[in-house]
Amino acid sequence: MPSQGTVLAALTAVMPPHDGADEQVDWDAIRRAWGVGFPSDYIAFMSTYGAGGIDKALGIVTPEASTQPADSPDLEGMAAETANMRHMWESEGGPDEVDAGPDSVVAWGVSCGADILGWLTVDHDPNKWPVIVWERHGWPHWKIYDCGMAEFLRRLFTKGFDECPLSDASLWGEPSPHFVHWREERRRWESGVDPYTGEPDPYFGMKFD
């Protein structure tokens, strides 16, 4: 099995981070809040990229909304998306092959197609947690992938799965995915520029009732 550093290096070769995109996280506080540790590739991802969006198609969420600055995107935090993921498990049942309850999933991302991406946390070692996806428009809705978060993203961008794992295929085989940290994304929107295309936002300054 490749080291987590090797996995992250492979991801950065496909999707380079931009300067100043790291997320300052108190991981000891996060572990106390959640009662578990987190995979080392996710911790490294937060240090390298931070939370943010990938081509407006996939959001990587902050570890815990309550630990983030007051101006952070509180509607896109790990707590909120985990609650959504667990609700889906409770309402429709989990994967047939998993003998566990809804509290065995923790979310780390959400797609523009309303898919929720997370980990199946049944192993005591977070580095062995597989990625689990609730695919809104897939059947069955639940899919499990035997890899970590960073490797899942790399395979998504390089078509490393038999089929696209998400409802929206805009990142499937994307040769140059573009990550934007949420603070930079906000700054660009507020300056009237689309964060991902660099083009002027045609709706900038308009008011809607």
Side-chain angles (χ1 to χ4, degrees):
M1 177 180 296
S3 69
Q4 298 301 324
T6 301
V7 170
L8 192 70
L11 177 60
T12 59
V14 179
M15 183 177 70
H18 62 79
D19 293 341
D22 66 301
E23 201 74 56
Q24 300 302 314
V25 177
D26 184 343
W27 290 108
D28 288 336
I30 295 296
R31 291 185 187 96
R32 289 193 297 271
W34 287 86
V36 294
F38 281 85
S40 57
D41 67 330
Y42 177 73
I43 293 173
F45 186 98
M46 283 293 143
S47 295
T48 304
Y49 295 93
I54 304 172
D55 291 337
K56 289 193 288 190
L58 180 61
I60 309 300
V61 300
T62 51
E64 174 67 19
S66 63
T67 70
Q68 301 305 308
D71 63 343
S72 65
D74 56 3
L75 295 180
E76 299 178 353
M78 181 177 283
E81 293 304 338
T82 296
N84 290 337
M85 196 175 216
R86 291 177 178 179
H87 172 73
M88 299 314 302
W89 190 301
E90 290 172 348
S91 63
E92 65 181 35
D96 292 338
E97 67 270 32
V98 177
D99 183 17
D103 60 349
S104 63
V105 292
V106 173
W108 55 259
V110 59
S111 80
C112 65
D115 305 323
I116 309 173
L117 300 83
W119 297 285
L120 183 62
T121 66
V122 293
D123 198 289
H124 72 279
D125 182 355
N127 288 325
K128 295 181 180 179
W129 292 350
V131 167
I132 185 168
V133 176
W134 183 80
E135 188 181 354
R136 183 180 182 86
H137 300 294
W139 188 259
H141 290 305
W142 294 102
K143 308 285 177 56
I144 298 173
Y145 299 91
D146 189 20
C147 61
M149 169 258 200
E151 176 64 8
F152 177 90
L153 293 176
R154 188 194 68 80
R155 292 186 189 179
L156 172 66
F157 303 146
T158 60
K159 289 191 174 181
F161 299 109
D162 291 338
E163 58 184 19
C164 181
L166 302 179
S167 297
D168 177 81
S170 59
L171 292 176
W172 180 238
E174 170 55 54
S176 55
H178 187 200
F179 177 89
V180 179
H181 187 274
W182 66 266
R183 290 189 185 90
E184 177 64 13
E185 181 182 48
R186 176 174 293 178
R187 186 194 69 77
R188 294 180 188 179
W189 280 127
E190 291 177 349
S191 66
V193 175
D194 185 302
Y196 298 94
T197 66
E199 298 294 327
D201 176 11
Y203 303 106
F204 181 69
M206 295 179 64
K207 295 183 179 180
F208 300 93
D209 295 332

